[in-house]
Amino acid sequence: QVQLVESGGGLVQPGGSLRLSCAASGSISSIGVMAWYCQAPGKQRELVATITSGGNTNYARTVKGRFTISRDNAKNTVYLQMNSLKPEDTAIYYCNADIKPYYYARRDYWGQGTQVTVSS
């Protein structure tokens, strides 16, 4: 019933920018914290950034100052603006959200992932 659908990944040169989007759909009563994670080949999934429903944000040390997380509560959408991209940012990026659906218990939901490749 509840889905997270990401978009915006792709191939970009070092120093370039990308904007990821993740829209939640379905019978949603409320959304709490929304987040972006990344998983590089052979590595564990890592937290990139989080944002509360009130707009408070936190970032991993490796992306602070380069990435910006934001959200549009009216559209149930979270964004990740990625600037000054580096080859080491190459990974699959996953959206995560704490969602309370109608008639069901609150739990974490994950998107399907979107590939970001930074290469010249």
Side-chain angles (χ1 to χ4, degrees), residues 40-114:
K43 294 188 176 181
Q44 290 188 331
R45 193 171 297 190
E46 298 178 342
L47 179 64
V48 175
T50 64
I51 185 166
T52 67
S53 56
N56 292 318
T57 60
N58 275 295
Y59 297 92
R61 178 186 53 80
T62 54
V63 307
K64 204 166 188 178
R66 300 188 297 121
F67 292 7
T68 302
I69 189 170
S70 61
R71 65 192 280 174
D72 184 331
N73 291 331
K75 295 181 179 179
N76 289 339
T77 299
V78 62
Y79 306 97
L80 186 68
Q81 178 66 43
M82 310 166 70
N83 298 331
S84 303
L85 282 160
K86 304 175 181 180
E88 50 264 43
D89 295 319
T90 296
I92 299 174
Y93 283 74
Y94 295 91
C95 173
N96 170 271
D98 172 46
I99 296 176
K100 171 65 178 73
Y102 286 110
Y103 313 119
Y104 294 91
R106 176 180 294 274
R107 71 170 180 89
D108 265 2
Y109 288 84
W110 290 90
Q112 80 284 1
T114 185

Side-chain angles (χ1 to χ4, degrees), residues 33-44:
V33 174
M34 303 184 84
W36 289 96
Y37 287 74
C38 70
Q39 187 167 18
K43 294 188 176 181
Q44 290 188 331

